[in-house]
Amino acid sequence: MLAGLNFATLLLSVAVCQGSRYKDIDSETVSVDQGSTYGSLWPLPQQVSLSEVSFKLSSSSFRVVDAEGSSAGPSCNILQNAYRRYYEYVFGNPRKNGHFKRKAATSELSELQVSITSGDSDCDGYPGATSDESYELTVDQPYAILKAPKVWGALRGLETFSQLVYEDEYGAKSINSSKIVDFPRFQHRGILLDTSRHFLPIKVILANLEAMSMNKFNVFHWHIVDDPSFPYLSRTFPQLSQMGAYQPYTHVYTPGDVKMIIEFARLRGIRVVPEFDTPGHTQSWGKGQKDLLTPCYSGPTPSGTFGPVNPILNTTYDFMNLLFKEISEVFPDAYVHLGGDEVDFNCWKSNPNIQKWMDEHGLGKDYAKLESFYIQKLLGIVAATKKGSMIWQEVFDNGVKLPADAVVNVWMGSGLQEEMFNVTAAGFTTILSAPWYLDYISYGQDWQRYYKVEPLDFKGSDSQNKLVIGGEACLWGEFVDSTNLTPRLWPRASAVGERLWSAKDVTDVNDAYSRLSKHRCRMVERGIPAEPLFTSFCRHEYKGN
Amino acid sequence: MASCTICLPALMMLVLDLNTVESVWPLPQKLAISEERYPLSPTHFNFYYGEDQASIMTDCSLLDSAFTRYFPLIFPDLTSGNGVLPSTEEKAFSLVVTMNQKDCDGYPNEGSSERYQLNVSAGQAVLNSDTVWGALRGLETFSQLVQQDEDGTYFINKTEIEDFPSFQYRGILLDTSRHFLPLKAILNTLDAMAYSKFNVFHWHIVDDPSFPYQSRTFPDLSSKGAYHPMSHIYTQSDVRRVLTHARLRGIRVIPEFDSPGHTQSWGKGQPNLLTPCYKGSSPSGKFGPINPASALSYTFMSQFLKEVTSVFPDPYLHLGGDEVNFSCWQSNPDVRAFMQKMGFGRDYTKLESFYMENIVNITSNLNKTSIVWQDVFDYHERIPKDTILHIWKGLPAQYKAEMSRMTKAGHRVLLGAPWYINHIAYGQDWRISYNVQPLNFPGTEEQKKLVIGGEVSMWGEYVDATNLSPRLWPRACAAAERLWSDESQTRSAEAAFPRLQAFRCSLLRRGVRAEPLSPGHCRDEYRGI
């Protein structure tokens, strides 16, 4: 999933500094905010009708409540927490109004009633691959009504409601009469964070889950371990993080941390899909798990370095069995990401035992087949834990026999359309990441490039198109940690968020610029240091440093 | 106050491989670190003034506050909540500071010596400098030499340092017009600048998009020209806070009031200042650069710059003068008539030069030295010799040729072109900044002496308080070392890399949101979001 870049020696291909001849980019060439009829809505709902009639919201009397007949009640944590969260987002820190009593104006909106319409609200469950996120929102007097079959749709609708509220020139909260019918275009809308190349403190992960919910993302793809470090504290194999983390106490995720992240995500309708990438990208695993990695040879003797997971030992599979059993219990999501990318065959080639084994098993010199052998067994191990598998595209490309419910994650930019065609033609569901590697930064408004991607831009049939279940924005961690992650991700990932949620024909970049500028100021106001799109200001600037 | 002895027994020093030791950034000119190390205990550590100065120096509040500032930087666990770690060897250690000049109340300027000597031996470190500014640099170096072993015990190696900057002007430009930067973001940047031994804050305070400087004389400039007249302005007391914060760290503050272009926001609060653009025979409603044909413009600029020079104490003032668009002037019949009258023909560069000449004269009458962007020289070589030229354009071949031309004409030069680090790219682009050779242009020794230094620019199109710090740090550190250290000792970015990584971790520990250079970790990660 990484483009095979060697970070240490990588020097940019684009001579940006030297190439620039102008002190400033000419502002006239960049989009200018001409206002949008859709205000600050982001991502744009499927159907919006806004009227000019406006109502006031009073911080002392406005309430978000369960509607009569809603299948969710006061015991529904997800909703009760969300009501409070969005009340605070709408009204900010409650300020004392003194003792001035004021009669409710006729043009006041006093309640948002939330109704879960399906018999099972999913209140106590986890969001899943097929969770219904649709909702309908009607803002009118005397009540605004939010209807959703499941709590997941209600969460999306609450965010939309909060985005409809604005301040008039006296600072009073107002909302226009409106009617919104909404549902996501793609089911899987993910963000990948990499906690191996740099450790990300819990606080940063939580803040970004919060930002995800503001952008209607619903999958946190947690690339939790990789070559550089193993911060996941395993109960079964504690030595993995003890030896493989950057620091065994300060740079690990304890079971309690993981639980907290999963629950925080659940309350925001976000799935947590962990990735335990093998057989490559596992250098850090080897530190705490002896004999797991392949010893590389230099001529007839071991060189002291190690390669990918050793696929010819039974102990390898015993280990994976236990580890993935634990993972299946710790992470409630129905899917686990198994990685399977960028396996370097040199070490396997150097090892005489592997050569011998391959001869015995008739694999000859075909190391892709050896990799497939490994992945095949791993897929079996994971299937036995009743989990589905997500894998990077190489696994499909190498011809591994995949279970029908496997999800193929396409990350390579070259041959993208062909790959999308082939994967869907073979009947597999697909997630698109290739155009959205947000760790690759460049000067200027690159969000527009992410925005202009059309995920179904390959010549597939309707049934093939349906297999593209969504996409992910990836922020790999070579150059990212808690110091710069949040402003690097937002609002650039917001562009991906709208592409995956909104209707296919929502492609007006100028309209998007206007809404996104306001949306980014809203994120800033909510405490997310989302960076600016261009020369501009926010009424409330970021107060951190 | 206690006494000290300056004499050190001459010892054989073992110079360690700098790549393996956490070490000083920017690299001192002469540095010898021995393997011998001494434990330090926060409870048995003291700053002292040298003996002969004790009576005179007791009221050097600048240095006193530096001691207060540096104590927790030297012993970070005192403030990070880890608690004081008991030292097994409770031996007293003192840092004794001696200065040749006693002036502690002034502002740093172009002539300020930043030279210092630092000798660390058993129980004592001796810091000698010409001025308080040199003492500040030496304190910073001392704080970087103190490390913690695995048990958390502080120690310092036996060290001898002789240090001074290669270039007297080492600046950072922040742009508070394209995005307003809250005061906190500016102060935090000044802190980080001091850690990297930068000594000039070039405050590009106003520009087209907004005018956040609240003028005493012309309050309408910010009340009409700021993004918001209450929340997005720098009041006079804000400016003073920046000046004070900078002075305490030995940093000069040079404001830039860029004209005649880049002044759209000025026009909102100052009617008749900008040139009305014409469409055919009637005004289009749009405005161009400051109107150079109107005497009112010069009256205004005189009054305004008079205020500016009274508010900002630095002897330099940046006047801008870049990127003037002539099309509006060309469209305006009054400007055309003025051109005629002055005999400029159709050469609008002559008009721009006329304007700049007037502004430079106003500035020198206010006893300030002007800095202008290179455009002014490119169009007009007849500017006063003492005007400093700021190079911002071009590839290395182009800016080197420009440096040759400017220094040949006898001008002092400031190099900005290679350090526009608002331009970002994937990967370790700090190496490009590091590999710049400021004196590698055709010219005589005399010409090279005219290169007073360089500047890192962080233009604000895509930068505000959300992303300023990680975009600036540690990328700006590359230029900091290039401008301070001996180039012949710091040619290799590869060799500098581990030292820069260690320095970025110490920036984190000190609360600067400095981004990572490659995969890895710091003991103390940034704890915010």
Side-chain angles (χ1 to χ4, degrees):
Chain A
M1 30 77 223
L2 288 163
L5 288 160
N6 182 347
F7 59 84
T9 54
L10 182 101
L11 277 180
L12 357 147
S13 44
V14 221
V16 183
C17 289
Q18 275 75 359
S20 138
R21 301 184 109 282
Y22 297 100
K23 188 152 66 70
D24 310 313
I25 292 288
D26 184 352
S27 59
E28 286 166 1
T29 64
V30 192
S31 32
V32 176
D33 188 352
Q34 290 155 338
S36 165
T37 46
Y38 299 114
S40 65
L41 287 172
W42 193 277
L44 193 67
Q46 299 284 344
Q47 292 173 37
V48 186
S49 52
L50 301 169
S51 118
E52 282 178 8
V53 178
S54 78
F55 314 120
K56 296 271 180 283
L57 283 76
S58 145
S59 67
S60 56
S61 60
F62 181 78
R63 297 286 180 268
V64 185
V65 297
D66 296 315
E68 220 170 296
S70 171
S71 62
S75 63
C76 182
N77 261 332
I78 288 188
L79 287 186
Q80 299 304 326
N81 273 299
Y83 295 167
R84 185 184 55 192
R85 196 163 67 241
Y86 282 105
Y87 174 87
E88 281 171 3
Y89 279 153
V90 167
F91 293 106
N93 297 325
R95 278 162 240 154
K96 286 253 165 72
N97 289 338
H99 298 291
F100 303 106
K101 283 209 171 157
R102 176 173 85 81
K103 237 175 127 183
T106 44
S107 63
E108 183 168 320
L109 184 75
S110 59
E111 266 183 19
L112 170 62
Q113 298 189 348
V114 180
S115 180
I116 306 301
T117 55
S118 135
D120 179 7
S121 65
D122 272 8
C123 252
D124 300 316
Y126 288 93
T130 56
S131 290
D132 188 339
E133 294 173 289
S134 68
Y135 67 92
E136 281 183 37
L137 175 64
T138 312
V139 179
D140 206 341
Q141 281 189 311
Y143 314 119
I145 294 168
L146 171 61
K147 279 187 189 167
K150 303 282 185 183
V151 287
W152 318 118
L155 290 173
R156 305 298 168 244
L158 282 164
E159 174 61 36
T160 302
F161 178 83
S162 76
Q163 295 188 1
L164 288 169
V165 177
Y166 59 93
E167 263 183 24
D168 70 13
E169 59 265 48
Y170 299 102
K173 305 292 177 182
S174 306
I175 191 167
N176 282 26
S177 169
S178 29
K179 167 91 181 154
I180 285 172
V181 178
D182 203 10
F183 52 88
R185 180 181 172 207
F186 292 102
Q187 179 67 43
H188 184 112
R189 305 177 308 283
I191 297 276
L192 178 150
L193 298 183
D194 168 2
T195 55
S196 173
R197 289 179 178 80
H198 285 98
F199 179 79
L200 300 174
I202 305 286
K203 191 173 165 184
V204 175
I205 295 177
L206 299 185
N208 281 281
L209 288 167
E210 189 72 50
M212 282 171 68
S213 74
M214 296 173 198
N215 290 274
K216 297 191 169 70
F217 277 97
N218 67 351
V219 181
F220 170 33
H221 175 167
W222 192 353
H223 189 84
I224 189 165
V225 298
D226 202 303
D227 284 328
S229 77
F230 197 105
Y232 172 76
L233 199 163
S234 160
R235 274 174 300 205
T236 323
F237 301 102
Q239 71 276 17
L240 286 170
S241 62
Q242 189 67 33
M243 311 296 288
Y246 281 131
Q247 210 284 342
Y249 299 103
T250 57
H251 288 62
V252 292
Y253 301 106
T254 66
D257 294 338
V258 173
K259 227 182 197 160
M260 187 206 293
I261 285 167
I262 291 169
E263 178 62 7
F264 193 93
R266 185 185 82 90
L267 291 173
R268 285 152 186 82
I270 297 170
R271 301 163 54 196
V272 178
V273 177
E275 177 181 351
F276 286 84
D277 191 356
T278 65
H281 288 284
T282 48
Q283 288 295 302
S284 68
W285 302 45
K287 294 182 183 167
Q289 188 64 19
K290 249 177 59 131
D291 300 328
L292 177 66
L293 302 187
T294 309
C296 313
Y297 277 65
S298 179
T301 47
S303 67
T305 60
F306 294 87
V309 166
N310 192 335
I312 64 165
L313 299 180
N314 288 335
T315 50
T316 293
Y317 300 101
D318 296 341
F319 167 80
M320 291 296 173
N321 228 324
L322 289 171
L323 180 67
F324 278 93
K325 184 165 183 296
E326 171 182 324
I327 290 165
S328 73
E329 287 160 5
V330 169
F331 293 91
D333 200 81
Y335 281 86
V336 178
H337 202 302
L338 303 181
D341 59 313
E342 296 184 313
V343 181
D344 180 359
F345 295 148
N346 285 318
C347 185
W348 281 349
K349 282 181 193 167
S350 77
N351 183 305
N353 299 324
I354 291 199
Q355 284 168 22
K356 187 162 160 266
W357 188 92
M358 285 182 67
D359 289 341
E360 284 166 12
H361 289 75
L363 298 185
K365 300 274 171 218
D366 191 344
Y367 290 88
K369 283 205 178 116
L370 180 60
E371 183 185 348
S372 298
F373 170 84
Y374 168 82
I375 297 272
Q376 205 77 66
K377 291 199 71 154
L378 189 63
L379 284 164
I381 287 170
V382 171
T385 67
K386 304 265 187 301
K387 297 281 184 182
S389 293
M390 290 174 62
I391 34 87
W392 295 108
Q393 68 180 80
E394 286 102 313
V395 178
F396 170 82
D397 297 346
N398 288 342
V400 173
K401 193 171 166 297
L402 292 167
D405 65 345
V407 178
V408 180
N409 200 340
V410 174
W411 67 273
M412 290 176 173
S414 68
L416 175 61
Q417 280 144 354
E418 201 187 341
E419 181 77 6
M420 294 294 282
F421 183 91
N422 291 341
V423 173
T424 52
F428 292 107
T429 48
T430 308
I431 289 166
L432 181 64
S433 297
W436 294 315
Y437 266 38
L438 269 52
D439 49 320
Y440 293 113
I441 51 168
S442 57
Y443 187 67
Q445 297 200 35
D446 55 1
W447 71 273
Q448 297 188 4
R449 203 170 44 196
Y450 308 131
Y451 191 74
K452 287 172 182 164
V453 171
E454 168 45 52
L456 301 185
D457 187 19
F458 64 97
K459 296 185 176 63
S461 64
D462 283 354
S463 59
Q464 276 175 281
N465 285 348
K466 281 196 186 114
L467 290 169
V468 180
I469 56 169
E472 287 184 355
C474 302
L475 194 61
W476 295 101
E478 279 83 350
F479 301 106
V480 176
D481 71 2
S482 57
T483 61
N484 59 356
L485 183 141
T486 312
R488 193 160 288 194
L489 191 56
W490 309 105
R492 293 162 75 229
S494 305
V496 183
E498 175 149 303
R499 181 54 50 238
L500 293 172
W501 178 280
S502 304
K504 186 175 182 175
D505 61 359
V506 178
T507 53
D508 180 340
V509 173
N510 287 326
D511 188 74
Y513 178 82
S514 169
R515 285 182 292 115
L516 188 53
S517 296
K518 297 182 185 103
H519 179 54
R520 103 89 189 175
C521 284
R522 178 167 50 226
M523 286 193 276
V524 168
E525 205 170 329
R526 292 178 179 186
I528 304 294
E531 67 180 22
L533 295 174
F534 191 59
T535 303
S536 63
F537 77 107
C538 297
R539 182 67 191 82
H540 302 277
E541 301 288 357
Y542 183 63
K543 292 284 189 287
N545 63 50
Chain B
M1 295 267 166
S3 66
C4 78
T5 42
I6 310 289
C7 44
L8 262 177
L11 278 174
M12 290 292 286
M13 291 268 183
L14 174 66
V15 179
L16 300 176
D17 179 0
L18 291 171
N19 291 342
T20 62
V21 188
E22 203 172 331
S23 183
V24 183
W25 190 281
L27 192 68
Q29 299 279 348
K30 283 183 193 160
L31 167 70
I33 298 180
S34 127
E35 267 185 345
E36 197 176 331
R37 54 163 76 167
Y38 315 111
L40 297 182
S41 155
T43 48
H44 291 73
F45 178 87
N46 281 296
F47 297 101
Y48 291 122
Y49 292 106
E51 183 182 28
D52 56 329
Q53 300 186 319
S55 56
I56 317 163
M57 294 307 301
T58 41
D59 55 2
C60 183
S61 62
L62 190 141
L63 214 46
D64 287 340
S65 75
F67 294 158
T68 315
R69 211 164 56 237
Y70 273 101
F71 186 79
L73 298 182
I74 293 167
F75 303 107
D77 283 347
L78 284 177
T79 45
S80 72
N82 293 355
V84 186
L85 296 146
S87 167
T88 44
E89 291 170 75
E90 297 280 324
K91 267 187 164 174
F93 194 99
S94 44
L95 173 59
V96 184
V97 183
T98 310
M99 294 174 288
N100 295 332
Q101 293 168 25
K102 324 286 189 245
D103 183 12
C104 283
D105 300 322
Y107 285 88
N109 61 43
E110 59 199 329
S112 300
S113 163
E114 293 170 290
R115 174 184 290 273
Y116 68 93
Q117 282 181 325
L118 178 64
N119 290 318
V120 181
S121 56
Q124 163 169 286
V126 177
L127 171 60
N128 290 325
S129 65
D130 291 337
T131 66
V132 66
W133 317 117
L136 287 175
R137 303 296 169 247
L139 264 179
E140 174 57 40
T141 300
F142 179 82
S143 76
Q144 293 187 23
L145 289 171
V146 177
Q147 298 176 50
Q148 275 180 288
D149 67 17
E150 281 164 12
D151 301 327
T153 306
Y154 297 99
F155 68 91
I156 188 165
N157 285 65
K158 184 172 176 60
T159 307
E160 283 187 16
I161 289 175
E162 221 186 294
D163 204 10
F164 53 87
S166 288
F167 294 95
Q168 51 140 295
Y169 186 117
R170 306 175 309 281
I172 288 204
L173 176 152
L174 294 185
D175 169 2
T176 55
S177 173
R178 289 179 177 80
H179 285 98
F180 179 80
L181 297 173
L183 210 56
K184 190 175 165 188
I186 295 176
L187 301 182
N188 198 262
T189 303
L190 291 169
D191 291 348
M193 284 172 67
Y195 304 151
S196 313
K197 297 191 171 75
F198 278 103
N199 68 349
V200 178
F201 168 36
H202 173 172
W203 194 350
H204 188 85
I205 189 165
V206 300
D207 202 304
D208 283 329
S210 76
F211 197 106
Y213 172 75
Q214 190 178 47
S215 161
R216 295 188 294 230
T217 326
F218 302 99
D220 276 355
L221 287 170
S222 64
S223 70
K224 302 225 166 98
Y227 279 132
H228 190 282
M230 303 301 292
S231 58
H232 287 60
I233 55 165
Y234 302 106
T235 64
Q236 289 293 321
S237 76
D238 289 341
V239 172
R240 271 199 301 277
R241 244 186 104 186
V242 170
L243 293 171
T244 306
H245 200 89
R247 186 185 82 87
L248 289 174
R249 286 153 185 80
I251 296 170
R252 302 163 58 189
V253 179
I254 300 179
E256 176 182 354
F257 286 88
D258 191 355
S259 74
H262 288 283
T263 47
Q264 288 295 302
S265 68
W266 303 43
K268 295 181 183 168
Q270 188 62 21
N272 305 322
L273 177 65
L274 304 186
T275 311
C277 312
Y278 276 64
K279 204 171 181 172
S281 58
S282 51
S284 68
K286 291 193 171 157
F287 294 89
I290 285 179
N291 190 345
S294 160
L296 291 175
S297 298
Y298 302 102
T299 316
F300 166 80
M301 288 304 285
S302 288
Q303 284 178 281
F304 182 65
L305 292 182
K306 189 165 181 227
E307 170 185 327
V308 165
T309 52
S310 69
V311 170
F312 293 90
D314 200 86
Y316 290 3
L317 176 61
H318 205 303
L319 299 175
D322 59 317
E323 296 183 312
V324 180
N325 184 340
F326 295 146
S327 59
C328 183
W329 282 349
Q330 280 164 351
S331 76
N332 182 301
D334 299 336
V335 173
R336 287 202 303 266
F338 183 76
M339 295 276 290
Q340 208 84 74
K341 191 180 124 199
M342 300 299 291
F344 294 159
R346 306 193 138 271
D347 187 352
Y348 285 85
T349 63
K350 288 198 171 130
L351 181 59
E352 182 187 351
S353 303
F354 171 83
Y355 172 85
M356 285 311 293
E357 217 171 294
N358 274 287
I359 301 303
V360 168
N361 286 339
I362 290 169
T363 306
S364 54
N365 287 336
L366 293 162
N367 293 319
K368 299 281 182 179
T369 302
S370 301
I371 309 178
V372 294
W373 295 106
Q374 70 179 95
D375 313 41
V376 180
F377 172 80
D378 294 347
Y379 290 133
H380 185 59
E381 304 201 7
R382 200 169 50 86
I383 40 181
K385 272 277 188 308
D386 71 335
T387 304
I388 297 166
L389 305 172
H390 194 162
I391 298 180
W392 63 272
K393 284 192 226 187
L395 297 163
Q398 294 158 314
Y399 69 69
K400 284 175 187 176
E402 182 85 349
M403 290 175 95
S404 289
R405 281 192 297 273
M406 289 171 168
T407 51
K408 201 166 184 190
H411 282 288
R412 284 174 292 172
V413 167
L414 192 53
L415 183 60
W419 291 309
Y420 265 40
I421 67 170
N422 54 309
H423 293 268
I424 51 166
Y426 184 75
Q428 295 198 25
D429 58 356
W430 70 271
R431 289 167 189 256
I432 296 172
S433 297
Y434 195 79
N435 290 333
V436 172
Q437 299 173 299
L439 297 184
N440 183 15
F441 64 90
T444 63
E445 281 308 301
E446 284 309 302
Q447 278 176 269
K448 311 253 158 137
K449 278 187 193 143
L450 291 170
V451 179
I452 59 169
E455 207 172 87
V456 169
S457 301
M458 184 54 76
W459 295 101
E461 282 85 349
Y462 302 103
V463 177
D464 69 3
T466 63
N467 59 356
L468 170 71
S469 288
R471 218 164 258 214
L472 197 50
W473 310 107
R475 292 166 73 228
C477 300
E481 178 146 303
R482 181 53 54 241
L483 292 168
W484 178 281
S485 306
D486 177 3
E487 196 180 304
S488 66
Q489 292 180 56
T490 52
R491 289 237 161 85
S492 162
E494 202 50 47
F497 181 51
R499 197 160 41 86
L500 184 54
Q501 279 190 304
F503 183 59
R504 106 98 183 166
C505 285
S506 64
L507 288 176
L508 280 192
R509 197 160 58 236
R510 293 173 175 200
V512 179
R513 193 158 49 116
E515 68 179 21
L517 297 159
S518 73
H521 79 292
C522 295
R523 193 195 76 167
D524 301 293
E525 302 286 0
Y526 180 69
R527 292 187 199 284
I529 54 164

